[in-house]
Amino acid sequence: MTATDRAIELVSTAAQAAADRLAHDIIAYDVSDVLSITDAFLLASAPNDRQVKSIVDEIEERLLKERGAKPVRREGDRDARWILLDYVDIVVHVQHSEERVFYALERLWKDCPELPLPEDAQKTRGKAQEHARLMGVDGADGELS
């Protein structure tokens, strides 16, 4: 089984929205072969809570406007360290950069095929590491993906 066309459209729109709000390290996985609850996961991160919220708000707005999709569940708003948007066909995880490194969802799903993303989203790979270096954060040579 592979991700549906609908899931791929949602991932593409959400990834572009995240890239437009300067998300870091956007990646999407086709998890349809290993999970029955959704077809795809989209992961993105940001260096601060305000930006996490901004990314999530943009994703929600664009998916509603362009695809007519509303999340059935939104979790994690209070602290804005990890916000999850569940659209049934896809699940979007937008994490604070520290949570992204700590939970390392990429390691859990690395055996699943990656889904193609818009060029702007692809260009975000390595942005968290670059940002950490610019900010002088220790351990900035660790990788996210």
Side-chain angles (χ1 to χ4, degrees):
M1 183 176 235
T2 59
T4 64
D5 290 342
R6 172 75 172 160
I8 293 168
E9 290 172 355
L10 293 173
V11 162
S12 181
T13 301
Q16 184 62 53
D20 291 347
R21 287 288 183 218
L22 307 178
H24 295 167
D25 300 300
I26 302 169
I27 190 166
Y29 294 103
D30 179 340
V31 296
S32 61
D33 283 341
V34 294
L35 291 176
S36 61
I37 58 170
T38 192
D39 283 348
F41 278 170
L42 178 71
L43 311 175
S45 55
N48 61 63
D49 303 349
R50 179 188 285 180
Q51 191 173 356
V52 167
K53 282 185 178 182
S54 176
I55 292 165
V56 168
D57 290 345
E58 184 68 13
I59 290 170
E60 263 193 297
E61 185 177 314
R62 293 271 275 286
L63 286 177
L64 180 59
K65 182 178 174 185
E66 296 177 20
R67 302 286 176 199
K70 287 183 181 181
V72 295
R73 187 174 67 208
R74 179 175 170 154
E75 295 182 8
D77 276 330
R78 181 190 288 167
D79 296 328
R81 302 289 292 182
W82 181 350
I83 298 177
L84 179 144
L85 297 172
D86 183 351
Y87 285 90
V88 180
D89 293 315
I90 70 168
V91 175
V92 178
H93 300 268
V94 182
Q95 299 173 298
H96 190 286
S97 298
E98 292 170 3
E99 271 67 12
R100 179 90 179 257
V101 170
F102 182 79
Y103 290 102
L105 295 178
E106 289 90 345
R107 277 190 263 149
L108 292 173
W109 307 110
K110 69 181 176 188
D111 294 332
C112 295
E114 282 188 42
L115 291 171
L117 297 175
E119 187 176 336
D120 290 342
Q122 291 176 25
K123 289 178 182 177
T124 67
R125 298 284 177 91
K127 291 288 184 184
Q129 188 176 351
E130 179 184 324
H131 178 79
R133 261 197 304 275
L134 291 172
M135 300 305 290
V137 175
D138 290 335
D141 42 298
E143 288 191 36
L144 286 176
S145 52

